[in-house]
Amino acid sequence: MLDFLKSPRALVLTILLVAQAAFLYGFSRKEVTPPSPPLASMPAAMPGNWNLVQEGVVEPEVLQVLKADDVLNRSYASASSTLPVHLFIAAFRSQRTGQAPHSPKNCLPGAGWVPAVSDIINVKVPGREEPIEVNRFVVQKGDNASVVLYWYQSRDRAVASEFKAKYYVVRDALRDNRTDTALIRIVVPVEAKKIKEAQAVAEGFIQSSFGTIRSFLPS
């Protein structure tokens, strides 16, 4: 028995049991998330001359599937661009009871949009030394195409990778007793196959609106 307790297998088993106990403890404590303004109160005029042109509606059946605590679905336009920007935010105050962002990687193909490009790009935003990483999709549906940029925002942390975002959920639950996050998605239509122009508009909107969006999510 003593030989087993000193063996590598016993060490691995002990580490796993301790990790499991820590995991269960972290998810059993009552979660306290700082309050934040409702997304609906986000200003109609965004920095960079972006102005609200349409307040989108999210159908009740979609809301039931999303299970988000707060949702924003808007279209903005600017005098300096002929392309509109569609902004969607799904905010979750907790992910402990099954609520979690639905990845556009799964939702877009289900809606008939076919990804032509899928990668991660860096976008420089004001107030941060390092650029944020965002997922980039170029999707097509018949003759229509759009550039889709999205990421997961948890406090001051912007994450592109779904796997990394889930890792942070566990780490934050154990360390900070919080699992709140938000999915932020920007969609810009592509005109005349000018993908670079659409992407530039999407990145410009992120750079202009990042600080405002961030102020409507828990700190």
Side-chain angles (χ1 to χ4, degrees), residues 32-114:
V32 179
T33 305
S36 56
L39 293 176
S41 62
M42 192 173 294
M46 288 283 203
N49 259 339
W50 289 100
N51 295 294
L52 175 66
V53 292
Q54 184 177 10
E55 190 80 53
V57 177
V58 182
E59 293 77 6
E61 56 269 26
V62 175
L63 290 174
Q64 188 173 8
V65 172
L66 282 176
K67 296 181 179 179
D69 294 298
D70 201 358
V71 172
L72 181 78
N73 186 25
R74 288 181 174 180
S75 295
Y76 284 86
S78 172
S80 60
S81 173
T82 60
L83 300 175
V85 170
H86 305 292
L87 169 65
F88 176 80
I89 304 175
F92 300 80
R93 297 189 65 79
S94 175
Q95 299 181 71
R96 295 189 178 188
T97 56
Q99 307 101 311
H102 289 247
S103 171
K105 288 184 179 179
N106 301 322
C107 300
L108 290 171
W113 290 94
V114 179

Side-chain angles (χ1 to χ4, degrees), residues 3-211:
D3 290 338
F4 172 75
L5 292 175
K6 296 178 181 179
S7 67
R9 290 179 59 189
L11 178 61
V12 171
L13 180 60
T14 301
I15 293 173
L16 289 175
L17 289 173
V18 171
Q20 183 182 41
F23 180 83
L24 292 174
Y25 171 71
F27 275 82
S28 65
R29 292 178 295 164
K30 182 176 176 59
E31 189 169 4
V32 179
T33 305
S36 56
L39 293 176
S41 62
M42 192 173 294
M46 288 283 203
N49 259 339
W50 289 100
N51 295 294
L52 175 66
V53 292
Q54 184 177 10
E55 190 80 53
V57 177
V58 182
E59 293 77 6
E61 56 269 26
V62 175
L63 290 174
Q64 188 173 8
V65 172
L66 282 176
K67 296 181 179 179
D69 294 298
D70 201 358
V71 172
L72 181 78
N73 186 25
R74 288 181 174 180
S75 295
Y76 284 86
S78 172
S80 60
S81 173
T82 60
L83 300 175
V85 170
H86 305 292
L87 169 65
F88 176 80
I89 304 175
F92 300 80
R93 297 189 65 79
S94 175
Q95 299 181 71
R96 295 189 178 188
T97 56
Q99 307 101 311
H102 289 247
S103 171
K105 288 184 179 179
N106 301 322
C107 300
L108 290 171
W113 290 94
V114 179
V117 176
S118 176
D119 57 12
I120 293 176
I121 64 172
N122 293 322
V123 178
K124 185 69 176 176
V125 295
R128 298 175 67 106
E129 292 184 5
E130 299 294 328
I132 64 171
E133 287 189 343
V134 304
N135 295 286
R136 178 181 66 155
F137 266 9
V138 178
V139 294
Q140 295 179 323
K141 188 176 184 180
D143 294 331
N144 300 317
S146 295
V147 170
V148 181
L149 303 182
Y150 75 92
W151 72 95
Y152 303 94
Q153 187 75 38
S154 299
R155 282 160 284 170
D156 200 40
R157 185 176 59 234
V159 178
S161 165
E162 277 87 1
F163 295 104
K164 188 181 292 186
K166 292 185 182 300
Y167 159 77
Y168 282 123
V169 169
V170 176
R171 195 189 77 168
D172 289 350
L174 296 174
R175 190 182 69 176
D176 304 321
N177 195 28
R178 289 176 58 179
T179 60
D180 53 291
T181 193
L183 168 69
I184 303 172
R185 187 187 70 197
I186 312 293
V187 180
V188 176
V190 175
E191 292 185 351
K193 299 182 179 180
K194 296 180 179 179
I195 295 174
K196 289 184 178 180
E197 286 81 350
Q199 181 174 326
V201 170
E203 291 185 31
F205 181 81
I206 291 175
Q207 291 167 339
S208 297
S209 64
F210 184 84

